[in-house]
Amino acid sequence: MNKNSCKNRAAGSTPRINMIGAYLKELFGEKVVKLSLDGGFTCPNRDGSKGTGGCIFCSADGSGDFASDIPGQMKLLSDKWPRAKYILYFQAHTNTYAPAGELRAKFGSALSYPFEGGAPVGIAIATRPDCLADDVLDYLSELNEQTFLWVELGLQTARDDTAALINRCYPRAVYEDAVAKLTARGIPVVTHLIFGLPGESKEDMLDSVRYAAQPLREPFPGNRYLPASKHIFGLKFHLLNIIKGSRMENLYPGYVPFDSIESYIELVTDALRIVPPDITMHRLTADAARSLLIAPEWSYRKRTILNGIEARMRALDAFQGDMYE
Ligand code: SF4
């Protein structure tokens, strides 16, 4: 039985999942699409300052395999959504791994790119929680005043033993501090989790979701775009893909995360039900380029996975957060 079922929910009119796409459309009045950009950063978990070799799941491109140039992406996206607004998404590698002055130059020049149809409405910056020095936080606060910003933190798992296994090279206490510092400044945080890491049970994965979705140390005070909240702004669920060229390919030959597409769909729906409804969902699976994908072989069937999640939520009459305690 749903623990938090709401009698006023009219199935079919209330979205079962608080997806970021619908959230941004409401916020900006038009469809908003992300342009994935490579800012030319590297990663401290590759160059030896935090670790070497990188996280074992990470591809040679630093998990930014779809990043490309602005004009090329604009052409593709504007043909599909001529009225869309844009968020600049710095995804590849660690996008705050540079002095604040360099960040200002890179992000500033991207934000001033002459977009047809107007300036981008925001910027999303993916990084590690151990790459947020005070001067970087000060700069991000400035950026947060200037435009709609969120910072994505790659947590992957709440378990420190799994984190050591995947060579994440920071303990979860560092993540907690980073979230507290960012949210205290009114900077929205989106947390990235990976489902299917070696050695983790379904309950471990759900524990990571509970951990990321727990109330903040101090509530997010709100900013000119977002209301105050007790929680992080968003969550990303990423299916572990074994990618050619990642260390996992050699360390775990033959490893297949999840024994079926159905077991992944079941996990994600169960996870959504323990995420508070005000947390926006930025991703429910992962789409690796087929040329790079080793396993699971079904992971490229993104539409099938998303439809399966929707169908299971409907069949259970489930809503995001209805099992949140
Ligand atoms: S996942 Fe992120 S932190 Fe880990 S090696 Fe890749 S870019 Fe670096």
Side-chain angles (χ1 to χ4, degrees):
M1 193 177 77
N2 295 354
K3 292 193 177 162
N4 295 319
S5 65
C6 172
K7 291 201 172 100
N8 295 327
R9 276 175 178 147
S13 63
T14 303
R16 293 180 186 274
I17 309 171
N18 183 12
M19 291 302 299
I20 185 65
Y23 189 95
L24 292 177
K25 188 167 185 187
E26 176 89 17
L27 190 60
F28 292 107
E30 282 292 349
K31 180 168 184 65
V32 177
V33 293
K34 286 193 293 186
L35 285 177
S36 286
L37 303 177
D38 186 340
F41 297 95
T42 176
C43 172
N45 200 13
R46 289 186 177 276
D47 70 8
S49 70
K50 303 281 182 188
T52 53
C55 305
I56 64 172
F57 55 81
C58 186
S59 66
D61 286 340
S63 299
D65 297 312
F66 294 119
S68 67
D69 61 304
I70 294 180
Q73 287 189 73
M74 286 285 296
K75 170 85 182 82
L76 285 175
L77 296 173
S78 62
D79 285 352
K80 195 165 175 190
W81 296 293
R83 295 162 57 92
K85 298 184 174 178
Y86 294 95
I87 283 184
L88 307 181
Y89 181 34
F90 287 85
Q91 177 184 24
H93 298 288
T94 301
N95 293 284
T96 58
Y97 186 40
E102 189 178 329
L103 303 184
R104 185 188 300 277
K106 286 186 172 173
F107 299 146
S109 86
L111 282 165
S112 59
Y113 182 87
F115 286 86
E116 279 174 44
V121 293
I123 184 166
I125 297 173
T127 193
R128 291 172 57 91
D130 56 359
C131 289
L132 293 165
D134 287 346
D135 63 332
V136 169
L137 286 167
D138 289 345
Y139 169 63
L140 292 175
S141 292
E142 259 180 59
L143 204 52
N144 196 42
E145 294 287 316
Q146 190 188 329
T147 189
F148 177 61
L149 165 71
W150 75 69
V151 172
E152 280 186 24
L153 298 178
L155 175 65
Q156 327 309 3
T157 174
R159 289 188 65 119
D160 274 343
D161 55 353
T162 309
L165 190 80
I166 63 173
N167 198 43
R168 191 183 65 190
C169 291
Y170 71 81
R172 83 177 193 184
V174 170
Y175 162 83
E176 282 176 26
D177 284 346
V179 171
K181 284 178 183 168
L182 287 163
T183 53
R185 290 169 177 255
I187 299 172
V189 168
V190 173
T191 296
H192 188 283
L193 296 175
I194 296 183
F195 292 153
L197 292 170
E200 291 210 338
S201 65
K202 179 177 177 183
E203 207 41 48
D204 292 332
M205 296 175 222
L206 293 176
D207 278 347
S208 288
V209 175
R210 285 185 194 97
Y211 171 77
Q214 71 188 320
L216 297 164
R217 273 188 213 162
E218 299 293 333
F220 174 75
N223 62 28
R224 72 187 165 106
Y225 294 96
L226 301 178
S229 170
K230 289 192 295 189
H231 304 111
I232 55 171
F233 172 56
L235 261 178
K236 277 186 149 178
F237 296 159
H238 199 290
L239 165 64
L240 176 65
N241 285 312
I242 315 296
I243 298 295
K244 288 178 191 162
S246 68
R247 291 173 67 201
M248 278 214 74
E249 181 183 8
N250 296 319
L251 288 171
Y252 291 88
Y255 178 74
V256 179
F258 300 97
D259 54 15
S260 65
I261 198 167
E262 290 76 20
S263 61
Y264 183 72
I265 288 168
E266 184 181 307
L267 169 72
V268 173
T269 51
D270 290 356
L272 285 166
R273 301 184 74 180
I274 58 171
V275 174
D278 64 326
I279 294 182
T280 52
M281 297 306 307
H282 292 233
R283 181 189 275 280
L284 302 180
T285 184
D287 43 349
R290 281 186 81 176
S291 58
L292 295 176
L293 180 67
I294 299 172
E297 54 82 23
W298 41 262
S299 94
Y300 71 90
R301 292 164 60 196
K302 185 176 170 190
R303 184 40 54 199
T304 305
I305 296 170
L306 296 178
N307 287 345
I309 293 165
E310 277 287 338
R312 186 160 189 266
M313 295 288 278
R314 260 198 320 277
L316 297 172
D317 194 21
F319 288 81
Q320 179 180 328
D322 66 359
M323 300 291 277
Y324 176 67
E325 298 179 320

